[in-house]
Amino acid sequence: KAGVTQTPRYLIKTRGQQVTLSCSPISGHRSVSWYQQTPGQGLQFLFEYFSETQRNKGNFPGRFSGRQFSNSRSEMNVSTLELGDSALYLCASSLGQGNTIYFGEGSWLTVV
Amino acid sequence: ELKVEQNPLFLSMQEGKNYTIYCNYSTTSDRLYWYRQDPGKSLESLFVLLSNGAVKQEGRLMASLDTKARLSTLHITAAVHDLSATYFCAVDTLFIIQGAQKLVFGQGTRLTINP
């Protein structure tokens, strides 16, 4: 059974650019959530989607957005990148309703 | 606001010794996760604790949950070098905020096991 797949794995962007990260959840999982990990702030929740609806959003500026498609795949977008957006972005999926949450390998974003 | 605190944040120990990592959280919840993270890697699920008094064991690791004390522990028995990693506990807020599945993580405990 394939795990949570994230693309791209590594990317370098320039300040002011935008980036889109993609996540394919485990087959059958309808809940997809995103987390940001930085050395200073640790692991922080970005947002969660379930059946194409955003159910919850963390305390991030509006530059961070996401969506979920009908096949449960999800994308997150960060516009007008700042140096502080450099981080590991983790996607996680679950069956929803409080089931185990599995994480993908992450996308390493460096903003220069 | 839910807060999750781990201690210690750094732990250096000798192989063969036992030790415990503590995870305290501020709001009632009955679903707690433990994850392991190796440098440059993602999070590997270790345990899911679903109710008060739950105890799970895998190899040299054992996790427990006391929902009344809002405390979970991760106990390491006879540590070996391969267990060196950062360990995170996380509380699932689903049962705190209805319909919103979200993990709130502790700061992580960086564990180094020396030969």
Side-chain angles (χ1 to χ4, degrees):
Chain A
K1 185 174 180 180
V4 180
T5 304
Q6 293 186 244
T7 58
R9 292 292 317 283
Y10 305 91
L11 64 167
I12 301 173
K13 292 287 188 177
T14 304
R15 274 181 299 176
Q17 288 186 313
Q18 73 167 12
V19 66
T20 299
L21 308 178
S22 180
C23 173
S24 293
I26 292 172
S27 178
H29 286 193
R30 296 166 65 188
S31 172
V32 175
S33 49
W34 291 87
Y35 292 81
Q36 181 198 63
Q37 185 176 27
T38 60
Q41 299 299 317
L43 282 151
Q44 293 185 288
F45 172 81
L46 281 158
F47 23 67
E48 187 233 1
Y49 289 87
F50 184 85
S51 294
E52 302 180 67
T53 300
Q54 185 181 88
R55 292 200 298 187
N56 201 4
K57 190 177 193 300
N59 295 325
F60 280 82
R63 300 185 297 107
F64 291 81
S65 63
R67 59 178 176 170
Q68 187 181 33
F69 301 96
S70 58
N71 61 359
S72 293
R73 192 177 67 85
S74 176
E75 289 181 347
M76 68 162 283
N77 184 77
V78 187
S79 62
T80 319
L81 284 165
E82 300 176 0
L83 295 178
D85 297 332
S86 295
L88 174 63
Y89 290 88
L90 293 165
C91 173
S93 78
S94 80
L95 289 170
Q97 300 295 315
N99 286 274
T100 302
I101 301 171
Y102 298 92
F103 283 82
E105 290 298 310
S107 292
W108 289 91
L109 170 65
T110 301
V111 182
V112 297
Chain B
E1 180 186 344
L2 172 62
K3 292 188 186 300
V4 181
E5 294 188 350
Q6 289 181 234
N7 73 84
L9 299 184
F10 299 91
L11 179 55
S12 181
M13 52 194 291
Q14 296 290 320
E15 278 192 327
K17 300 292 186 183
N18 304 332
Y19 211 83
T20 301
I21 299 171
Y22 297 88
C23 174
N24 290 91
Y25 53 97
S26 61
T27 307
T28 301
S29 174
D30 58 358
R31 189 175 297 267
L32 189 139
Y33 298 78
W34 283 96
Y35 287 92
R36 167 181 172 151
Q37 187 175 41
D38 292 297
K41 302 292 187 180
S42 184
L43 298 171
E44 175 189 353
S45 179
L46 294 174
F47 301 109
V48 181
L49 302 171
L50 302 179
S51 60
N52 185 42
V55 177
K56 295 276 186 75
Q57 182 164 6
E58 181 72 32
R60 302 175 187 274
L61 300 178
M62 183 174 72
S64 65
L65 178 62
D66 181 345
T67 58
K68 294 179 181 178
R70 300 176 189 169
L71 170 68
S72 180
T73 61
L74 180 66
H75 186 73
I76 303 147
T77 301
V80 294
H81 179 69
D82 286 351
L83 291 178
S84 296
T86 299
Y87 292 85
F88 292 93
C89 65
V91 176
D92 188 346
T93 62
L94 177 65
F95 295 99
I96 300 173
I97 305 171
Q98 188 65 31
Q101 188 175 38
K102 162 187 170 181
L103 292 181
V104 177
F105 284 85
Q107 311 97 309
T109 297
R110 185 177 294 179
L111 174 63
T112 302
I113 300 170
N114 304 302

mmCIF file of all heavy atoms in Angstrom, chain A residues 15-62:
data_model
loop_
_atom_site.group_PDB
_atom_site.id
_atom_site.type_symbol
_atom_site.label_atom_id
_atom_site.label_comp_id
_atom_site.label_asym_id
_atom_site.label_seq_id
_atom_site.Cartn_x
_atom_site.Cartn_y
_atom_site.Cartn_z
ATOM 1 N N ARG A 15 12.735 35.119 -3.138
ATOM 2 C CA ARG A 15 11.761 35.968 -2.451
ATOM 3 C C ARG A 15 10.817 36.620 -3.446
ATOM 4 O O ARG A 15 11.237 37.111 -4.499
ATOM 5 C CB ARG A 15 12.477 37.067 -1.666
ATOM 6 C CG ARG A 15 12.914 36.658 -0.292
ATOM 7 C CD ARG A 15 13.583 37.804 0.430
ATOM 8 N NE ARG A 15 14.786 38.261 -0.282
ATOM 9 C CZ ARG A 15 15.515 39.304 0.083
ATOM 10 N NH1 ARG A 15 15.162 40.016 1.125
ATOM 11 N NH2 ARG A 15 16.583 39.642 -0.597
ATOM 12 N N GLY A 16 9.544 36.647 -3.095
ATOM 13 C CA GLY A 16 8.548 37.254 -3.957
ATOM 14 C C GLY A 16 7.876 36.285 -4.914
ATOM 15 O O GLY A 16 6.792 36.581 -5.431
ATOM 16 N N GLN A 17 8.527 35.146 -5.160
ATOM 17 C CA GLN A 17 7.900 34.152 -6.023
ATOM 18 C C GLN A 17 6.803 33.409 -5.289
ATOM 19 O O GLN A 17 6.570 33.625 -4.092
ATOM 20 C CB GLN A 17 8.946 33.147 -6.517
ATOM 21 C CG GLN A 17 9.913 33.710 -7.539
ATOM 22 C CD GLN A 17 10.830 32.625 -8.099
ATOM 23 O OE1 GLN A 17 11.396 31.818 -7.343
ATOM 24 N NE2 GLN A 17 10.985 32.607 -9.414
ATOM 25 N N GLN A 18 6.128 32.548 -6.000
ATOM 26 C CA GLN A 18 5.141 31.696 -5.365
ATOM 27 C C GLN A 18 5.517 30.237 -5.612
ATOM 28 O O GLN A 18 6.300 29.922 -6.500
ATOM 29 C CB GLN A 18 3.734 31.973 -5.878
ATOM 30 C CG GLN A 18 3.465 31.474 -7.288
ATOM 31 C CD GLN A 18 1.972 31.496 -7.621
ATOM 32 O OE1 GLN A 18 1.156 32.074 -6.897
ATOM 33 N NE2 GLN A 18 1.620 30.865 -8.717
ATOM 34 N N VAL A 19 4.940 29.354 -4.804
ATOM 35 C CA VAL A 19 5.250 27.934 -4.923
ATOM 36 C C VAL A 19 3.994 27.115 -4.687
ATOM 37 O O VAL A 19 3.109 27.511 -3.904
ATOM 38 C CB VAL A 19 6.349 27.528 -3.910
ATOM 39 C CG1 VAL A 19 5.853 27.651 -2.473
ATOM 40 C CG2 VAL A 19 6.840 26.124 -4.181
ATOM 41 N N THR A 20 3.905 26.009 -5.384
ATOM 42 C CA THR A 20 2.799 25.062 -5.190
ATOM 43 C C THR A 20 3.375 23.703 -4.861
ATOM 44 O O THR A 20 4.252 23.200 -5.570
ATOM 45 C CB THR A 20 1.923 24.960 -6.453
ATOM 46 O OG1 THR A 20 1.356 26.244 -6.746
ATOM 47 C CG2 THR A 20 0.804 23.954 -6.240
ATOM 48 N N LEU A 21 2.897 23.133 -3.780
ATOM 49 C CA LEU A 21 3.325 21.806 -3.347
ATOM 50 C C LEU A 21 2.156 20.851 -3.484
ATOM 51 O O LEU A 21 1.003 21.226 -3.241
ATOM 52 C CB LEU A 21 3.793 21.861 -1.891
ATOM 53 C CG LEU A 21 4.838 22.921 -1.549
ATOM 54 C CD1 LEU A 21 5.160 22.877 -0.061
ATOM 55 C CD2 LEU A 21 6.103 22.722 -2.377
ATOM 56 N N SER A 22 2.475 19.612 -3.836
ATOM 57 C CA SER A 22 1.425 18.640 -4.098
ATOM 58 C C SER A 22 1.515 17.462 -3.138
ATOM 59 O O SER A 22 2.602 17.081 -2.702
ATOM 60 C CB SER A 22 1.544 18.143 -5.540
ATOM 61 O OG SER A 22 0.541 17.202 -5.837
ATOM 62 N N CYS A 23 0.375 16.874 -2.853
ATOM 63 C CA CYS A 23 0.303 15.747 -1.934
ATOM 64 C C CYS A 23 -0.741 14.744 -2.416
ATOM 65 O O CYS A 23 -1.897 15.109 -2.673
ATOM 66 C CB CYS A 23 -0.074 16.261 -0.542
ATOM 67 S SG CYS A 23 -0.395 14.959 0.674
ATOM 68 N N SER A 24 -0.336 13.497 -2.511
ATOM 69 C CA SER A 24 -1.269 12.409 -2.811
ATOM 70 C C SER A 24 -1.413 11.560 -1.556
ATOM 71 O O SER A 24 -0.440 10.960 -1.097
ATOM 72 C CB SER A 24 -0.760 11.552 -3.961
ATOM 73 O OG SER A 24 -0.745 12.292 -5.164
ATOM 74 N N PRO A 25 -2.603 11.496 -0.986
ATOM 75 C CA PRO A 25 -2.785 10.760 0.268
ATOM 76 C C PRO A 25 -2.807 9.259 0.027
ATOM 77 O O PRO A 25 -2.848 8.797 -1.110
ATOM 78 C CB PRO A 25 -4.150 11.250 0.755
ATOM 79 C CG PRO A 25 -4.890 11.586 -0.504
ATOM 80 C CD PRO A 25 -3.842 12.125 -1.441
ATOM 81 N N ILE A 26 -2.776 8.529 1.117
ATOM 82 C CA ILE A 26 -2.946 7.078 1.051
ATOM 83 C C ILE A 26 -4.325 6.787 0.456
ATOM 84 O O ILE A 26 -5.302 7.488 0.774
ATOM 85 C CB ILE A 26 -2.806 6.465 2.458
ATOM 86 C CG1 ILE A 26 -1.354 6.614 2.938
ATOM 87 C CG2 ILE A 26 -3.229 4.999 2.467
ATOM 88 C CD1 ILE A 26 -1.137 6.227 4.386
ATOM 89 N N SER A 27 -4.383 5.780 -0.392
ATOM 90 C CA SER A 27 -5.631 5.444 -1.050
ATOM 91 C C SER A 27 -6.741 5.219 -0.030
ATOM 92 O O SER A 27 -6.576 4.486 0.957
ATOM 93 C CB SER A 27 -5.442 4.168 -1.879
ATOM 94 O OG SER A 27 -6.645 3.789 -2.494
ATOM 95 N N GLY A 28 -7.874 5.889 -0.259
ATOM 96 C CA GLY A 28 -9.007 5.741 0.641
ATOM 97 C C GLY A 28 -9.066 6.800 1.735
ATOM 98 O O GLY A 28 -10.097 6.957 2.387
ATOM 99 N N HIS A 29 -7.961 7.524 1.919
ATOM 100 C CA HIS A 29 -7.946 8.575 2.941
ATOM 101 C C HIS A 29 -8.569 9.845 2.384
ATOM 102 O O HIS A 29 -8.168 10.330 1.326
ATOM 103 C CB HIS A 29 -6.517 8.859 3.399
ATOM 104 C CG HIS A 29 -5.948 7.796 4.269
ATOM 105 N ND1 HIS A 29 -4.783 7.968 5.001
ATOM 106 C CD2 HIS A 29 -6.376 6.547 4.551
ATOM 107 C CE1 HIS A 29 -4.543 6.877 5.687
ATOM 108 N NE2 HIS A 29 -5.481 5.985 5.421
ATOM 109 N N ARG A 30 -9.503 10.403 3.124
ATOM 110 C CA ARG A 30 -10.197 11.605 2.658
ATOM 111 C C ARG A 30 -9.758 12.861 3.388
ATOM 112 O O ARG A 30 -10.048 13.971 2.969
ATOM 113 C CB ARG A 30 -11.702 11.410 2.817
ATOM 114 C CG ARG A 30 -12.256 10.280 1.939
ATOM 115 C CD ARG A 30 -13.643 9.880 2.348
ATOM 116 N NE ARG A 30 -14.603 10.947 2.140
ATOM 117 C CZ ARG A 30 -15.859 10.890 2.575
ATOM 118 N NH1 ARG A 30 -16.276 9.851 3.265
ATOM 119 N NH2 ARG A 30 -16.677 11.893 2.338
ATOM 120 N N SER A 31 -9.071 12.684 4.504
ATOM 121 C CA SER A 31 -8.575 13.840 5.254
ATOM 122 C C SER A 31 -7.111 14.077 4.911
ATOM 123 O O SER A 31 -6.284 13.165 5.010
ATOM 124 C CB SER A 31 -8.734 13.591 6.748
ATOM 125 O OG SER A 31 -8.080 14.617 7.485
ATOM 126 N N VAL A 32 -6.816 15.286 4.509
ATOM 127 C CA VAL A 32 -5.444 15.673 4.214
ATOM 128 C C VAL A 32 -5.131 16.950 4.988
ATOM 129 O O VAL A 32 -5.908 17.907 4.959
ATOM 130 C CB VAL A 32 -5.224 15.935 2.708
ATOM 131 C CG1 VAL A 32 -3.809 16.448 2.466
ATOM 132 C CG2 VAL A 32 -5.452 14.656 1.910
ATOM 133 N N SER A 33 -4.010 16.930 5.677
ATOM 134 C CA SER A 33 -3.609 18.120 6.425
ATOM 135 C C SER A 33 -2.166 18.467 6.086
ATOM 136 O O SER A 33 -1.403 17.628 5.600
ATOM 137 C CB SER A 33 -3.790 17.909 7.930
ATOM 138 O OG SER A 33 -3.208 16.691 8.347
ATOM 139 N N TRP A 34 -1.818 19.700 6.334
ATOM 140 C CA TRP A 34 -0.491 20.229 6.039
ATOM 141 C C TRP A 34 0.111 20.834 7.293
ATOM 142 O O TRP A 34 -0.587 21.492 8.076
ATOM 143 C CB TRP A 34 -0.577 21.306 4.953
ATOM 144 C CG TRP A 34 -0.928 20.802 3.598
ATOM 145 C CD1 TRP A 34 -2.181 20.608 3.092
ATOM 146 C CD2 TRP A 34 -0.012 20.429 2.554
ATOM 147 N NE1 TRP A 34 -2.102 20.144 1.796
ATOM 148 C CE2 TRP A 34 -0.796 20.034 1.445
ATOM 149 C CE3 TRP A 34 1.378 20.408 2.441
ATOM 150 C CZ2 TRP A 34 -0.219 19.610 0.242
ATOM 151 C CZ3 TRP A 34 1.952 19.986 1.246
ATOM 152 C CH2 TRP A 34 1.152 19.596 0.167
ATOM 153 N N TYR A 35 1.424 20.622 7.443
ATOM 154 C CA TYR A 35 2.160 21.150 8.575
ATOM 155 C C TYR A 35 3.454 21.780 8.073
ATOM 156 O O TYR A 35 4.037 21.339 7.084
ATOM 157 C CB TYR A 35 2.505 20.044 9.576
ATOM 158 C CG TYR A 35 1.296 19.473 10.275
ATOM 159 C CD1 TYR A 35 0.497 18.513 9.668
ATOM 160 C CD2 TYR A 35 0.945 19.902 11.550
ATOM 161 C CE1 TYR A 35 -0.624 18.008 10.296
ATOM 162 C CE2 TYR A 35 -0.173 19.392 12.200
ATOM 163 C CZ TYR A 35 -0.957 18.450 11.564
ATOM 164 O OH TYR A 35 -2.060 17.949 12.187
ATOM 165 N N GLN A 36 3.889 22.794 8.785
ATOM 166 C CA GLN A 36 5.170 23.428 8.508
ATOM 167 C C GLN A 36 6.116 23.125 9.662
ATOM 168 O O GLN A 36 5.726 23.229 10.816
ATOM 169 C CB GLN A 36 5.000 24.947 8.383
ATOM 170 C CG GLN A 36 6.296 25.690 8.061
ATOM 171 C CD GLN A 36 6.207 27.174 8.371
ATOM 172 O OE1 GLN A 36 6.030 27.562 9.525
ATOM 173 N NE2 GLN A 36 6.337 28.012 7.339
ATOM 174 N N GLN A 37 7.342 22.734 9.330
ATOM 175 C CA GLN A 37 8.326 22.487 10.372
ATOM 176 C C GLN A 37 9.541 23.377 10.150
ATOM 177 O O GLN A 37 10.163 23.341 9.084
ATOM 178 C CB GLN A 37 8.768 21.024 10.396
ATOM 179 C CG GLN A 37 9.705 20.714 11.565
ATOM 180 C CD GLN A 37 10.094 19.259 11.670
ATOM 181 O OE1 GLN A 37 10.113 18.528 10.679
ATOM 182 N NE2 GLN A 37 10.391 18.799 12.880
ATOM 183 N N THR A 38 9.866 24.168 11.157
ATOM 184 C CA THR A 38 11.062 25.011 11.143
ATOM 185 C C THR A 38 11.800 24.804 12.447
ATOM 186 O O THR A 38 11.197 24.433 13.467
ATOM 187 C CB THR A 38 10.711 26.505 11.004
ATOM 188 O OG1 THR A 38 9.879 26.875 12.125
ATOM 189 C CG2 THR A 38 9.979 26.795 9.713
ATOM 190 N N PRO A 39 13.117 25.056 12.446
ATOM 191 C CA PRO A 39 13.880 24.901 13.699
ATOM 192 C C PRO A 39 13.372 25.811 14.807
ATOM 193 O O PRO A 39 13.366 25.433 15.968
ATOM 194 C CB PRO A 39 15.300 25.267 13.288
ATOM 195 C CG PRO A 39 15.354 25.026 11.825
ATOM 196 C CD PRO A 39 13.988 25.365 11.313
ATOM 197 N N GLY A 40 12.914 26.992 14.466
ATOM 198 C CA GLY A 40 12.507 27.946 15.482
ATOM 199 C C GLY A 40 11.100 27.735 16.019
ATOM 200 O O GLY A 40 10.857 27.870 17.219
ATOM 201 N N GLN A 41 10.173 27.401 15.163
ATOM 202 C CA GLN A 41 8.763 27.279 15.544
ATOM 203 C C GLN A 41 8.296 25.838 15.706
ATOM 204 O O GLN A 41 7.182 25.604 16.178
ATOM 205 C CB GLN A 41 7.874 27.984 14.507
ATOM 206 C CG GLN A 41 8.150 29.471 14.367
ATOM 207 C CD GLN A 41 7.904 30.215 15.654
ATOM 208 O OE1 GLN A 41 6.906 29.969 16.350
ATOM 209 N NE2 GLN A 41 8.808 31.112 16.013
ATOM 210 N N GLY A 42 9.108 24.895 15.319
ATOM 211 C CA GLY A 42 8.707 23.507 15.444
ATOM 212 C C GLY A 42 7.675 23.122 14.400
ATOM 213 O O GLY A 42 7.656 23.678 13.298
ATOM 214 N N LEU A 43 6.810 22.207 14.754
ATOM 215 C CA LEU A 43 5.782 21.713 13.848
ATOM 216 C C LEU A 43 4.496 22.470 14.079
ATOM 217 O O LEU A 43 3.951 22.459 15.180
ATOM 218 C CB LEU A 43 5.543 20.218 14.091
ATOM 219 C CG LEU A 43 6.579 19.281 13.490
ATOM 220 C CD1 LEU A 43 6.702 18.008 14.300
ATOM 221 C CD2 LEU A 43 6.194 18.962 12.054
ATOM 222 N N GLN A 44 4.022 23.117 13.025
ATOM 223 C CA GLN A 44 2.814 23.928 13.152
ATOM 224 C C GLN A 44 1.792 23.520 12.102
ATOM 225 O O GLN A 44 2.138 23.326 10.940
ATOM 226 C CB GLN A 44 3.155 25.413 12.988
ATOM 227 C CG GLN A 44 4.008 25.980 14.107
ATOM 228 C CD GLN A 44 4.203 27.469 13.951
ATOM 229 O OE1 GLN A 44 4.931 27.935 13.081
ATOM 230 N NE2 GLN A 44 3.511 28.247 14.771
ATOM 231 N N PHE A 45 0.557 23.468 12.507
ATOM 232 C CA PHE A 45 -0.560 23.096 11.645
ATOM 233 C C PHE A 45 -0.895 24.233 10.693
ATOM 234 O O PHE A 45 -1.005 25.401 11.107
ATOM 235 C CB PHE A 45 -1.758 22.776 12.537
ATOM 236 C CG PHE A 45 -3.037 22.558 11.806
ATOM 237 C CD1 PHE A 45 -3.313 21.348 11.207
ATOM 238 C CD2 PHE A 45 -3.991 23.565 11.747
ATOM 239 C CE1 PHE A 45 -4.510 21.136 10.544
ATOM 240 C CE2 PHE A 45 -5.185 23.372 11.091
ATOM 241 C CZ PHE A 45 -5.454 22.161 10.491
ATOM 242 N N LEU A 46 -1.040 23.893 9.422
ATOM 243 C CA LEU A 46 -1.426 24.881 8.412
ATOM 244 C C LEU A 46 -2.926 24.814 8.121
ATOM 245 O O LEU A 46 -3.636 25.792 8.300
ATOM 246 C CB LEU A 46 -0.639 24.653 7.118
ATOM 247 C CG LEU A 46 0.789 25.182 7.116
ATOM 248 C CD1 LEU A 46 1.638 24.465 6.079
ATOM 249 C CD2 LEU A 46 0.788 26.682 6.860
ATOM 250 N N PHE A 47 -3.375 23.689 7.609
ATOM 251 C CA PHE A 47 -4.800 23.498 7.357
ATOM 252 C C PHE A 47 -5.123 22.028 7.139
ATOM 253 O O PHE A 47 -4.232 21.205 6.936
ATOM 254 C CB PHE A 47 -5.335 24.310 6.159
ATOM 255 C CG PHE A 47 -4.309 24.715 5.137
ATOM 256 C CD1 PHE A 47 -3.668 23.759 4.350
ATOM 257 C CD2 PHE A 47 -3.983 26.042 4.947
ATOM 258 C CE1 PHE A 47 -2.730 24.137 3.410
ATOM 259 C CE2 PHE A 47 -3.055 26.424 4.009
ATOM 260 C CZ PHE A 47 -2.424 25.472 3.237
ATOM 261 N N GLU A 48 -6.419 21.729 7.203
ATOM 262 C CA GLU A 48 -6.904 20.378 6.994
ATOM 263 C C GLU A 48 -8.083 20.403 6.058
ATOM 264 O O GLU A 48 -8.954 21.287 6.162
ATOM 265 C CB GLU A 48 -7.324 19.720 8.314
ATOM 266 C CG GLU A 48 -7.668 18.237 8.154
ATOM 267 C CD GLU A 48 -9.041 17.866 8.702
ATOM 268 O OE1 GLU A 48 -9.757 18.752 9.192
ATOM 269 O OE2 GLU A 48 -9.382 16.671 8.620
ATOM 270 N N TYR A 49 -8.102 19.447 5.142
ATOM 271 C CA TYR A 49 -9.190 19.302 4.203
ATOM 272 C C TYR A 49 -9.810 17.914 4.348
ATOM 273 O O TYR A 49 -9.119 16.930 4.611
ATOM 274 C CB TYR A 49 -8.692 19.472 2.761
ATOM 275 C CG TYR A 49 -8.319 20.896 2.445
ATOM 276 C CD1 TYR A 49 -7.039 21.370 2.719
ATOM 277 C CD2 TYR A 49 -9.247 21.774 1.911
ATOM 278 C CE1 TYR A 49 -6.700 22.674 2.458
ATOM 279 C CE2 TYR A 49 -8.908 23.091 1.641
ATOM 280 C CZ TYR A 49 -7.631 23.532 1.923
ATOM 281 O OH TYR A 49 -7.292 24.841 1.664
ATOM 282 N N PHE A 50 -11.109 17.908 4.161
ATOM 283 C CA PHE A 50 -11.839 16.632 4.185
ATOM 284 C C PHE A 50 -12.913 16.727 3.114
ATOM 285 O O PHE A 50 -13.750 17.644 3.151
ATOM 286 C CB PHE A 50 -12.455 16.378 5.560
ATOM 287 C CG PHE A 50 -13.145 15.055 5.690
ATOM 288 C CD1 PHE A 50 -12.411 13.929 6.027
ATOM 289 C CD2 PHE A 50 -14.508 14.933 5.461
ATOM 290 C CE1 PHE A 50 -13.048 12.690 6.143
ATOM 291 C CE2 PHE A 50 -15.136 13.707 5.570
ATOM 292 C CZ PHE A 50 -14.401 12.589 5.912
ATOM 293 N N SER A 51 -12.886 15.818 2.188
ATOM 294 C CA SER A 51 -13.850 15.811 1.083
ATOM 295 C C SER A 51 -13.961 17.184 0.433
ATOM 296 O O SER A 51 -15.060 17.739 0.285
ATOM 297 C CB SER A 51 -15.227 15.347 1.592
ATOM 298 O OG SER A 51 -15.161 14.004 1.992
ATOM 299 N N GLU A 52 -12.817 17.740 0.091
ATOM 300 C CA GLU A 52 -12.690 19.005 -0.663
ATOM 301 C C GLU A 52 -13.044 20.243 0.153
ATOM 302 O O GLU A 52 -13.033 21.356 -0.398
ATOM 303 C CB GLU A 52 -13.532 18.963 -1.942
ATOM 304 C CG GLU A 52 -13.171 17.826 -2.878
ATOM 305 C CD GLU A 52 -14.023 17.817 -4.128
ATOM 306 O OE1 GLU A 52 -13.895 18.758 -4.936
ATOM 307 O OE2 GLU A 52 -14.819 16.862 -4.295
ATOM 308 N N THR A 53 -13.350 20.093 1.419
ATOM 309 C CA THR A 53 -13.721 21.232 2.255
ATOM 310 C C THR A 53 -12.631 21.498 3.284
ATOM 311 O O THR A 53 -12.166 20.567 3.946
ATOM 312 C CB THR A 53 -15.049 20.960 2.983
ATOM 313 O OG1 THR A 53 -16.078 20.745 2.014
ATOM 314 C CG2 THR A 53 -15.421 22.135 3.881
ATOM 315 N N GLN A 54 -12.253 22.759 3.417
ATOM 316 C CA GLN A 54 -11.294 23.099 4.466
ATOM 317 C C GLN A 54 -12.032 23.125 5.796
ATOM 318 O O GLN A 54 -12.943 23.941 6.009
ATOM 319 C CB GLN A 54 -10.658 24.470 4.187
ATOM 320 C CG GLN A 54 -9.559 24.816 5.177
ATOM 321 C CD GLN A 54 -8.949 26.188 4.918
ATOM 322 O OE1 GLN A 54 -9.434 27.203 5.415
ATOM 323 N NE2 GLN A 54 -7.900 26.229 4.134
ATOM 324 N N ARG A 55 -11.611 22.265 6.702
ATOM 325 C CA ARG A 55 -12.305 22.177 7.993
ATOM 326 C C ARG A 55 -11.625 23.014 9.059
ATOM 327 O O ARG A 55 -12.262 23.404 10.039
ATOM 328 C CB ARG A 55 -12.362 20.731 8.477
ATOM 329 C CG ARG A 55 -13.233 19.839 7.650
ATOM 330 C CD ARG A 55 -13.647 18.591 8.404
ATOM 331 N NE ARG A 55 -12.529 17.739 8.787
ATOM 332 C CZ ARG A 55 -12.680 16.542 9.338
ATOM 333 N NH1 ARG A 55 -13.892 16.067 9.580
ATOM 334 N NH2 ARG A 55 -11.621 15.814 9.653
ATOM 335 N N ASN A 56 -10.348 23.256 8.897
ATOM 336 C CA ASN A 56 -9.634 23.967 9.945
ATOM 337 C C ASN A 56 -8.416 24.646 9.335
ATOM 338 O O ASN A 56 -7.830 24.136 8.374
ATOM 339 C CB ASN A 56 -9.207 22.996 11.037
ATOM 340 C CG ASN A 56 -8.917 23.687 12.355
ATOM 341 O OD1 ASN A 56 -9.110 24.885 12.483
ATOM 342 N ND2 ASN A 56 -8.437 22.937 13.325
ATOM 343 N N LYS A 57 -8.039 25.764 9.894
ATOM 344 C CA LYS A 57 -6.898 26.516 9.391
ATOM 345 C C LYS A 57 -6.063 26.986 10.566
ATOM 346 O O LYS A 57 -6.606 27.403 11.598
ATOM 347 C CB LYS A 57 -7.380 27.714 8.563
ATOM 348 C CG LYS A 57 -6.270 28.425 7.793
ATOM 349 C CD LYS A 57 -6.844 29.553 6.948
ATOM 350 C CE LYS A 57 -5.833 30.082 5.943
ATOM 351 N NZ LYS A 57 -4.617 30.612 6.574
ATOM 352 N N GLY A 58 -4.763 26.919 10.426
ATOM 353 C CA GLY A 58 -3.870 27.378 11.472
ATOM 354 C C GLY A 58 -3.631 28.877 11.385
ATOM 355 O O GLY A 58 -4.210 29.579 10.554
ATOM 356 N N ASN A 59 -2.759 29.365 12.247
ATOM 357 C CA ASN A 59 -2.488 30.791 12.326
ATOM 358 C C ASN A 59 -1.383 31.210 11.362
ATOM 359 O O ASN A 59 -0.279 31.554 11.776
ATOM 360 C CB ASN A 59 -2.120 31.170 13.757
ATOM 361 C CG ASN A 59 -3.270 30.957 14.719
ATOM 362 O OD1 ASN A 59 -4.426 31.159 14.371
ATOM 363 N ND2 ASN A 59 -2.950 30.523 15.928
ATOM 364 N N PHE A 60 -1.686 31.164 10.112
ATOM 365 C CA PHE A 60 -0.754 31.576 9.079
ATOM 366 C C PHE A 60 -1.403 32.674 8.238
ATOM 367 O O PHE A 60 -2.615 32.726 8.102
ATOM 368 C CB PHE A 60 -0.376 30.383 8.181
ATOM 369 C CG PHE A 60 0.668 29.484 8.794
ATOM 370 C CD1 PHE A 60 0.310 28.516 9.708
ATOM 371 C CD2 PHE A 60 2.002 29.615 8.461
ATOM 372 C CE1 PHE A 60 1.259 27.692 10.293
ATOM 373 C CE2 PHE A 60 2.971 28.801 9.017
ATOM 374 C CZ PHE A 60 2.594 27.837 9.936
ATOM 375 N N PRO A 61 -0.565 33.537 7.645
ATOM 376 C CA PRO A 61 -1.140 34.619 6.823
ATOM 377 C C PRO A 61 -1.828 34.078 5.580
ATOM 378 O O PRO A 61 -1.651 32.926 5.197
ATOM 379 C CB PRO A 61 0.089 35.471 6.464
ATOM 380 C CG PRO A 61 1.264 34.580 6.664
ATOM 381 C CD PRO A 61 0.913 33.627 7.747
ATOM 382 N N GLY A 62 -2.611 34.955 4.959
ATOM 383 C CA GLY A 62 -3.382 34.562 3.793
ATOM 384 C C GLY A 62 -2.543 34.161 2.589
ATOM 385 O O GLY A 62 -3.078 33.603 1.623
#
